[in-house]
Amino acid sequence: MAELPAGYVDGLTPYEGVPTFGGFRHVPWPELSGNDVDVAILGVPYDNSVANRSGCRFGPRALRSQAFTAGFHHLLLGVDINEWLTIVDAGDVHCPHGLTDISHSNARLAAEQVAAHAPFSVFLGGDHSITWPAGEAVAQTYGWGELGMIHFDAHADAATGMDGNLASHATPMRHLLESGALKPGHFEQIGLRGYWPPPEDFEFVASKGGRWHLMEDVRERGIAAVLDETIERMVDNCRAVYLSIDIDILDPGYAPGTGTPEPGGMTPADLLYAVRRIALETPLVALDVMEVAPPYDHADVTINNAHRIVFETLSALAYKKSAAQGGTPHLPGRVPAVVRYPPDRASKRQP
């Protein structure tokens, strides 16, 4: 680093410097090598497959530049992310305008590189069609047909196509189930609501052993009870778990910046609780956060909620690593968190 002039007061506020996600070190994804990082974060700025309002191609950049990063110490878990995890921002995938096949191919190649060199992968969308190539890349890394998926969304995204587009953001879950990338019977959807899709898409999910929990189920039973069943099913015999989150899982009052807002969704408090438990209690190896569309956001509400989903996951991973090495929570952490995952299940590596 260049020497600073005498008398210069050094430092960095959250709104200064070259933006990377969370201020983490930038290591372009083609340069990842070895096993010297715990988490790599990859942006996929693609939205050519949205069915309604476009704009989520700007999601990865906004999550880097507009989200407020107050610190890295999770108050409840009593753990500092940077104390236990080495995290890098791996940059973006090139998604050329209007070229779906190239964009998806690029996304899969980059995701394979990230998954091969980091125990935990984070993918920032972009529209939800990106979960198709990213999910297949992670499945290829941990074992085809050994991967389970937990999917938070207002919509099932298991259509055969949308307006003739087989690679729509309405289709990624069908592709992953049909290809065998996901373990049969280990696909869980949480928070579905509204007026789409039609019954035949649910018949398909059921035929693959998938289950869904409508938003009304979450409201009536509570998110804790839904998670109890979901986590038990995943831990049973999945080698690894992928968590996919469409930001429209949140009620539009909390996430107006998305292409297909659907009233009646989850609150951020319940979603962050769910993400934390899943990261602590399953062999989680990948997370994606999709459909953040900054042009429709207000006061960066959607961006900050999406950012906190990632930070909640990172904090849980840090807690798991700390607990495995005998660390003790810092103040004001007050509740010993449950850590329940077979340490050798995702035998590639765990952060």
Side-chain angles (χ1 to χ4, degrees):
M1 181 177 176
E3 188 175 343
L4 296 171
Y8 183 83
V9 179
D10 196 17
L12 195 65
T13 63
Y15 47 83
E16 291 178 334
V18 177
T20 61
F21 187 89
F24 300 122
R25 179 169 57 100
H26 175 47
V27 178
W29 64 266
E31 298 177 16
L32 290 172
S33 63
N35 302 322
D36 57 347
V37 301
D38 295 305
V39 179
I41 300 168
L42 181 71
V44 190
Y46 170 87
D47 67 3
N48 290 344
S49 289
V50 298
N52 192 37
R53 304 188 301 192
S54 61
C56 55
R57 69 181 66 184
F58 304 112
R61 175 167 291 186
L63 284 165
R64 292 178 172 115
S65 64
Q66 298 303 112
F68 175 59
T69 303
F72 302 92
H73 178 222
H74 193 285
L75 300 189
L76 178 64
L77 295 177
V79 68
D80 189 296
I81 294 171
N82 283 329
E83 183 180 355
W84 292 99
L85 299 178
T86 301
I87 303 167
V88 299
D89 186 327
D92 285 340
V93 174
H94 175 50
C95 298
H97 167 68
L99 299 179
T100 298
D101 289 346
I102 293 176
S103 296
H104 277 206
S105 176
N106 281 357
R108 176 165 181 162
L109 291 170
E112 286 176 352
Q113 177 79 355
V114 166
H117 294 291
F120 195 84
S121 307
V122 177
F123 307 113
L124 305 176
D127 71 47
H128 221 148
S129 72
I130 296 304
T131 300
W132 177 16
E136 287 194 345
V138 173
Q140 193 67 44
T141 302
Y142 288 90
W144 199 260
E146 295 298 323
L147 184 69
M149 177 173 282
I150 302 174
H151 173 213
F152 284 81
D153 203 325
H155 312 105
D157 291 358
T160 53
M162 178 69 71
D163 297 328
N165 179 7
L166 302 182
S168 166
H169 70 162
T171 66
M173 305 311 165
R174 178 176 287 264
H175 291 301
L176 290 170
L177 289 165
E178 284 182 335
S179 70
L182 296 181
K183 190 175 183 67
H186 286 75
F187 177 61
E188 301 269 337
Q189 298 184 299
I190 298 174
L192 307 182
R193 60 191 188 276
Y195 304 86
W196 185 91
E200 52 264 32
D201 291 356
F202 290 100
E203 291 169 3
F204 168 77
V205 171
S207 75
K208 297 295 183 179
R211 295 195 311 185
W212 54 83
H213 307 269
L214 302 180
M215 191 61 216
E216 192 67 5
D217 299 326
V218 175
R219 188 188 68 81
E220 290 177 351
R221 300 179 57 208
I223 187 62
V226 170
L227 288 173
D228 287 343
E229 289 184 5
T230 298
I231 290 170
E232 196 67 43
R233 200 167 184 228
M234 288 293 156
V235 169
D236 254 359
N237 47 73
C238 286
R239 181 182 171 198
V241 173
Y242 186 123
L243 175 59
S244 182
I245 298 181
D246 186 323
I247 202 64
D248 73 16
I249 183 66
L250 293 174
D251 187 86
Y254 304 110
T258 192
T260 52
E262 188 65 59
M266 290 182 71
T267 67
D270 279 352
L271 181 58
L272 294 179
Y273 163 79
V275 168
R276 183 169 67 248
R277 275 197 61 186
I278 289 166
L280 286 170
E281 299 182 42
T282 73
L284 191 68
V285 299
L287 163 74
D288 72 40
V289 181
M290 299 294 166
E291 302 283 348
V292 176
Y296 313 106
D297 207 7
H298 171 71
D300 298 333
V301 172
T302 311
I303 291 165
N304 279 293
N305 278 323
H307 179 271
R308 292 306 192 268
I309 291 167
V310 180
F311 260 47
E312 200 73 14
T313 305
L314 299 179
S315 297
L317 296 178
Y319 185 94
K320 281 206 293 194
K321 190 171 182 180
S322 169
Q325 297 183 24
T328 56
H330 306 304
L331 292 173
R334 59 176 179 81
V335 180
V338 173
V339 177
R340 191 194 69 173
Y341 70 102
D344 60 346
R345 181 65 57 79
S347 58
K348 178 177 174 285
R349 287 190 308 282
Q350 283 283 351

